[in-house]
Amino acid sequence: MIFDDVSTGNIEPDGGYVNQTSAAYDLVVIGGGINGCGIAADAAGRGLKVLLCEKGDLASATSSASTKLIHGGLRYLEQYEFGLVRKALKERELLQAAARHVIRPMAFRIPHQPHLRPRWLIRLGLFLYDHITRTARFPDSRTIRFDDKGPLVPSIRHGFEYWDAQVDDARLVVLNAMQARDRGATVVTRTQCTGIEADDPHWQVALEDLITGDSSCVRAKAVINAGGPWVGRVVQSITGRSAKLPVRLVKGSHLVVNRIHDGDYAFLLQNDDGRVVFVIPFDERYSLIGTTEEDFSGDPGDAAISDTETDYLIGVVNHHFRHQITRSDVVWTFSGIRPLLDEEGMASTRISRDYRLEFEDCALPLLSVYGGKVTTYRLLAEAAVDTVASIFPEAGPAWTRSAVLPGGDFTDFGNLERAFNNQYPWLPDSVGKRWIGSYGTLAQRIPGDATSLADLGEDFGHGLYACEVNYLCDFEWARSAGDILWRRSKLGLSFSPAQAARLEAHVSLHVSGSSKPLAAYCPS
């Protein structure tokens, strides 16, 4: 089945196996997080033949476990990383224009307490944050006062407000994968790169389908390792050599609790140990609290919040808010591993969040991505493709700076929502709002020509209908209930185990009837 969209052209299901007539690629990208998908999209848009492989689901690790912000990094000013802040603020502007359905401006309030720097100094820092780069989409900061009716403890009276943006991080990854596919890239999930071997002038890249166990091999002129926290392990496992740069793994954990304050604004809490904790409105009914910073060893896929981290976050919140929380209030936790460039003797809170791109010591081009953050992924992707561009003289120029991500081709969210509601007046408001907020202008692909709720298929609960599930499986690489409930959406916060099991059965049946073998992506 092919859906036609006037803004992005035709797309095919299952990530682009169509029209692949050879197993020779220009570029293989390893890793389906934000950096890998951004690189694949950038390279495909320059005319390169690209294959992206991801061993799990898209955004199944660090890229779906962030604090869900697109921000300049206000605290990086204290570390004199003016260049990083400037880059991030410029990207904040570009990304909000490119994906306004999943990236939205949000006010952040900073309570001032005696242990913090003087108010005049904080105000000066916020002034610098406002003006370090020009912005048209975000208001300037201001001084504010808190009163007895507010959510904070009575002793906190003074504070500040500034603006950044909230992002659905996992959906941002999927949108980049879709953009890559729309530009001709092949994207395969649940597919691991098990080794590469130099066979001048190509790499021989071995792939394994982790569901079926099928193996295949493709040729590529260059390989980019965007393995995130596995970047060093990828180098070691596929080349037998140590990675060129040392990586320090730092765990960041988050809590989700029922909303502890009204309003569409967030809080930035500065603890007396120098750390920062955000309290952010999340999925309408909840508050997202995080993050911690704790050195980590082991498999990044096993990262989980510790009791110490839980107590720490609860303690910071209770120090600031009238509404006191306990462990029993926690409805969900998640942890992600940041791969930071190791700087010996430096605390994890002070290690730079900037990125490095390095060619490994190999006979053929193998470029590894070290570090990075969600906000600067587009810039990182552009730089990565620029770095390998000399290998591909036919490659076109950089293009993503002014590109709109799939579904983001609209100017006003309210107008889009009203037009959608007028087209489907029988659809529950909560469902329409979620679809517009997740899919933007692509939302109409889900109901299509439906004229009633009965046309949407089975309701698995909480407004998740079979037509949306099938769309996500066919066009957004979903292969399990978890992919849909925790990354394509956050409906997992509402689903019961029985509802999730029923969804899993449907997904399994649907996917088994539509999946293509690995050989379809890697024909002989």
Side-chain angles (χ1 to χ4, degrees):
M1 182 178 182
I2 299 175
F3 286 103
D4 183 76
D5 181 78
V6 295
S7 62
T8 60
N10 293 336
I11 64 172
E12 295 285 349
D14 253 354
Y17 59 83
V18 294
N19 299 324
Q20 301 300 331
T21 59
S22 168
Y25 291 87
D26 293 317
L27 179 66
V28 167
V29 181
I30 301 171
I34 188 60
N35 291 332
C37 291
I39 290 167
D42 187 293
R46 300 197 202 194
L48 301 184
K49 189 173 182 182
V50 179
L51 170 72
L52 181 144
C53 62
E54 161 57 44
K55 67 178 182 178
D57 182 29
L58 298 174
S60 56
T62 303
S63 292
S64 61
S66 75
T67 312
K68 316 202 185 297
L69 300 178
I70 297 295
H71 64 137
L74 182 61
R75 69 189 179 99
Y76 303 148
L77 290 177
E78 295 183 349
Q79 300 166 18
Y80 307 109
E81 291 201 65
F82 300 113
L84 175 59
V85 174
R86 182 178 293 107
K87 284 193 301 185
L89 288 173
K90 288 181 178 179
E91 289 302 295
R92 182 190 69 174
E93 192 88 357
L94 295 176
L95 294 179
Q96 205 280 318
R100 63 188 78 221
H101 49 318
V102 297
I103 301 175
R104 301 180 189 177
M106 177 174 283
F108 289 76
R109 296 184 173 182
I110 307 174
H112 187 267
Q113 300 225 58
H115 67 268
L116 301 178
R117 287 176 171 80
R119 278 184 281 164
W120 68 265
L121 188 57
I122 295 175
R123 190 70 191 90
L124 181 62
L126 288 169
F127 179 84
L128 180 61
Y129 196 71
D130 291 336
H131 295 92
I132 198 169
T133 186
R134 300 178 67 180
T135 179
R137 299 178 179 274
F138 296 85
D140 285 345
S141 61
R142 64 190 180 104
T143 300
I144 58 175
R145 285 184 61 86
F146 301 107
D147 57 31
D148 292 334
K149 298 180 181 179
L152 300 179
V153 296
S155 60
I156 300 177
R157 292 297 186 183
H158 301 282
F160 310 89
E161 181 181 86
Y162 74 99
W163 287 76
D164 267 322
Q166 185 176 38
V167 62
D168 186 331
D169 49 6
R171 287 217 54 81
L172 184 65
V173 175
V174 172
L175 293 179
N176 274 271
M178 294 172 70
Q179 186 178 60
R181 177 187 58 200
D182 291 346
R183 296 280 177 158
T186 298
V187 178
V188 289
T189 61
R190 268 72 177 194
T191 301
Q192 185 168 3
C193 174
T194 56
I196 64 173
E197 182 177 344
D199 184 16
D200 198 20
H202 294 93
W203 285 111
Q204 295 287 344
V205 183
L207 302 173
E208 179 185 359
D209 186 318
L210 297 181
I211 296 178
T212 66
D214 293 340
S215 296
S216 191
C217 188
V218 300
R219 301 190 305 276
K221 296 177 182 177
V223 175
I224 295 182
N225 169 17
W230 288 274
V231 59
R233 297 187 185 193
V234 169
V235 174
Q236 179 69 41
S237 65
I238 67 179
T239 70
R241 302 183 180 92
S242 297
K244 195 166 187 178
L245 297 179
V247 174
R248 184 170 174 180
L249 301 182
V250 176
K251 181 175 64 166
S253 296
H254 300 79
L255 307 175
V256 174
V257 300
N258 288 317
R259 282 288 293 266
I260 60 176
H261 78 276
D262 296 327
D264 294 329
Y265 52 87
F267 283 92
L268 183 156
L269 311 179
Q270 300 179 91
N271 200 30
D272 54 13
D273 61 1
R275 295 183 184 180
V276 165
V277 171
F278 290 96
V279 178
I280 305 170
F282 185 66
D283 198 41
E284 294 191 350
R285 294 183 296 153
Y286 304 100
S287 293
L288 172 65
I289 302 167
T291 180
T292 59
E293 292 189 321
E294 186 177 275
D295 284 327
F296 181 84
S297 62
D299 185 345
D302 296 333
I305 194 169
S306 66
D307 289 343
T308 300
E309 290 175 295
T310 299
D311 292 340
Y312 176 84
L313 293 175
I314 289 174
V316 174
V317 169
N318 288 344
H319 184 66
H320 289 82
F321 281 86
R322 296 174 186 268
H323 182 90
Q324 301 285 285
I325 61 174
T326 67
R327 288 190 185 184
S328 63
D329 294 309
V330 177
V331 298
W332 183 43
T333 68
F334 61 90
S335 301
I337 304 300
R338 308 182 193 98
L340 307 180
L341 284 169
D342 198 9
E343 300 178 53
E344 188 174 354
M346 184 171 288
S348 60
T349 56
R350 301 193 65 83
I351 297 177
S352 175
R353 269 49 177 176
D354 215 344
Y355 58 83
R356 286 271 298 277
L357 307 171
E358 291 287 338
F359 281 111
E360 303 296 338
D361 294 326
C362 299
L364 294 173
L366 170 60
L367 183 71
S368 290
V369 177
Y370 295 90
K373 58 201 297 283
V374 174
T375 304
T376 53
Y377 86 87
R378 189 206 64 85
L379 203 60
L380 181 155
E382 185 175 270
V385 181
D386 284 345
T387 302
V388 300
S390 60
I391 305 166
F392 308 107
E394 73 281 8
W399 61 280
T400 59
R401 182 178 179 85
S402 58
V404 175
L405 286 165
D409 50 335
F410 64 94
T411 56
D412 184 86
F413 187 89
N415 289 341
L416 179 64
E417 189 174 25
R418 283 187 289 274
F420 187 82
N421 291 339
N422 289 337
Q423 186 173 357
Y424 304 100
W426 43 267
L427 193 67
D429 289 343
S430 59
V431 175
K433 183 176 182 179
R434 182 175 63 80
W435 283 0
I436 292 296
S438 295
Y439 308 106
T441 58
L442 302 183
Q444 64 181 15
R445 287 180 172 168
I446 298 172
D449 296 329
T451 58
S452 69
L453 284 177
D455 294 335
L456 301 183
E458 182 177 358
D459 181 0
F460 294 96
H462 310 284
L464 181 67
Y465 292 90
C467 63
E468 182 180 8
V469 173
N470 296 345
Y471 167 83
L472 292 171
C473 293
D474 292 344
F475 298 100
E476 292 198 9
W477 299 275
R479 290 294 177 269
S480 72
D483 296 349
I484 294 171
L485 296 179
W486 296 110
R487 287 177 287 280
R488 305 308 183 280
S489 74
K490 292 298 180 286
L491 291 172
L493 289 166
S494 302
F495 263 57
S496 69
Q499 290 172 322
R502 187 156 53 95
L503 174 62
E504 186 67 63
H506 177 92
V507 171
S508 178
L509 182 62
H510 185 83
V511 169
S512 66
S514 60
S515 292
K516 296 293 181 180
L518 186 58
Y521 302 90
C522 315
S524 59

